[in-house]
Amino acid sequence: MQLFLKIMFMMVVGGLIGWMTNVIAIKLLFRPLLPVRVPLTNFHIIGLIPKRRLDIARNIGQTVHNELISMDEIGERLLTDENRAWMTAEIKGKIASVIDDKMSILPSGLKMMAMGMLGDVVDREIAVFIDEKSGELVKKAGENVNIGEMVEEKINQFELEKIEEIILSVAKSELKHIEVLGGVLGAAIGLFQAVVMQLFW
């Protein structure tokens, strides 16, 4: 009975140590947010994420830009047949409105004939224009817009507490599993120590 209690005691102590170690390690990812000087030394303690914030933001931005989203993909999503049809209709409507206004002095029959002729030309040319200019627009946007830099800038604008909140909300269950795993491993180590002590002491 006494042996069993010793083993259980060491397992509980080992489990608590393993669990608390992982809890503290996870807290140290975020805290302290600002450098804290260790008394009597020149050593400062700061959380890993606050310390590496700029590097983390830059790496996330580069990953998004290089691996996840490109301007070509955004252009493909924007320039669908449905959007092209919408742009064509909008341009035709604007042209028709201008023609109707500028030709208001013409007799209605002549105006209708002119509108019909121009309408055929507009239908042909708008499709060509949209195809040509949309490609140029996407290329120009790719040169002037860097999604990675936008992501990096946005992350750097967040307060550190907000970054902590986002990470915890995304990885809360995984971090909890790490804490529990620390307790399980600690208990296993405690059991191993108890067995070794009984065999060799």
Side-chain angles (χ1 to χ4, degrees), residues 56-66 147-149 151-152:
I56 292 169
R58 188 181 307 110
N59 289 336
I60 292 173
Q62 289 174 350
T63 300
V64 170
H65 181 74
N66 296 331
I147 296 172
E149 289 180 0
V151 171
E152 179 183 347

Side-chain angles (χ1 to χ4, degrees), residues 66-129:
N66 296 331
E67 307 293 338
L68 299 180
I69 302 174
S70 70
M71 283 306 301
D72 290 337
E73 290 173 320
I74 293 174
E76 289 175 8
R77 295 291 181 93
L78 289 175
L79 299 174
T80 61
D81 291 339
E82 183 180 345
N83 287 342
R84 288 172 190 265
W86 175 81
M87 283 190 284
T88 301
E90 288 291 311
I91 294 170
K92 283 175 65 177
K94 184 64 175 177
I95 291 172
S97 174
V98 171
I99 290 173
D100 186 51
D101 183 54
K102 298 297 182 184
M103 294 185 174
S104 58
I105 58 172
L106 294 177
S108 59
L110 187 59
K111 185 165 66 172
M112 290 294 292
M113 186 174 69
M115 293 270 289
M117 291 172 59
L118 286 171
D120 293 337
V121 175
V122 167
D123 283 339
R124 288 195 307 270
E125 295 302 321
I126 284 178
V128 175
F129 175 80

Side-chain angles (χ1 to χ4, degrees), residues 135-156:
E136 291 179 18
L137 178 63
V138 171
K139 183 180 178 182
K140 195 74 175 174
E143 294 171 355
N144 296 327
V145 177
N146 188 315
I147 296 172
E149 289 180 0
M150 292 170 63
V151 171
E152 179 183 347
E153 184 179 329
K154 190 68 176 177
I155 292 173
N156 284 329

Side-chain angles (χ1 to χ4, degrees), residues 166-180:
I166 292 170
I167 294 173
L168 289 177
S169 66
V170 171
K172 186 175 182 180
S173 61
E174 288 78 7
L175 294 176
K176 186 60 68 177
H177 289 154
I178 291 172
E179 293 176 6
V180 172

Side-chain angles (χ1 to χ4, degrees), residues 11-25:
M11 286 181 65
V12 169
V13 170
L16 286 173
I17 291 172
W19 174 72
M20 289 188 66
T21 300
N22 281 11
V23 169
I24 292 170

Side-chain angles (χ1 to χ4, degrees), residues 18-36:
W19 174 72
M20 289 188 66
T21 300
N22 281 11
V23 169
I24 292 170
I26 290 170
K27 291 292 183 187
L28 289 176
L29 288 173
F30 308 100
R31 305 287 173 156
L33 296 176
L34 299 174
V36 175

